[in-house]
Each structure stands twice: as structure tokens, then as C-alpha cells.
Amino acid sequence: MLALSAGDAIMHASGEPIEVMADCGLSARHVEGLELANITFSSTADDFQPSIQCVDEKGLEIDNLKAQLADGVAASKFQDVSDVVIRNSPILQR
């Protein structure tokens, strides 16, 4: 399991550090065949962004996603996404 907090730094494949931002979640663009399983997003403060945002994807599979969200915030935002399979993720089926 990878646990990161705002202000932490991780290394990009190029060797450059990447700072972790305060919002938690996943954003993916222009991807084909993305499979996600057993993911939990949590935050010490209210997060006002969807936990998962995908744009221009084909073949997205999500199994067992849990997320802490502020009231009224959608769990996901999909744009131009096709061939989606969602399992065991009630937060995405609201």
C-alpha cells in the first residue's frame, strides 16, 4: 500500500521529485486498458474534487474503490470514457 500526505515528495521516473498535492484521488487521460483494484482514498480534510477523473479512456475497469468525499461531491467524473466495468464500488454507483 502506498500512503502519501500533502507535502510529501515522490520521485518521477526521470529522477525529478513530484510534490503530493492536498487533494487525493486519481486522474487519467488518454489511456487504454486501465485496471484499478483495492483502492482507498482518504484525507484529513474535506476533498471537494471527485476521487477519480478520467478523460478519453477506453477499457476502464474498477474493482473495490473506496473514497472519503465532502458532502455533495461526486465520486467520479468521466468524459469520453467507454467500455467501463465497475465492481464492488458502491460509492461509484450512487
Side-chain angles (χ1 to χ4, degrees):
M1 180 171 100
L2 178 63
L4 300 171
S5 300
D8 288 351
I10 57 175
M11 299 303 282
H12 185 270
S14 68
E16 294 293 318
I18 301 170
E19 184 176 343
V20 177
M21 304 303 285
D23 292 342
C24 67
L26 176 116
S27 179
R29 296 181 64 182
H30 314 302
V31 177
E32 187 171 331
L34 180 62
E35 297 179 17
L36 304 169
N38 302 318
I39 298 175
T40 301
F41 294 113
S42 62
S43 177
T44 57
D46 283 344
D47 193 350
F48 295 95
Q49 296 291 322
S51 291
I52 183 165
Q53 300 183 58
C54 299
V55 177
D56 186 27
E57 286 207 32
K58 182 178 181 182
L60 172 63
E61 184 174 324
I62 301 171
D63 186 9
N64 193 28
L65 180 121
K66 298 174 184 149
Q68 173 186 331
L69 298 169
D71 289 339
V73 175
S76 63
K77 181 178 178 183
F78 296 151
Q79 179 183 337
D80 298 324
V81 177
S82 62
D83 301 328
V84 178
V85 176
I86 297 175
R87 289 188 294 275
N88 306 310
S89 305
I91 196 162
L92 294 178
Q93 297 167 351
R94 288 189 202 174

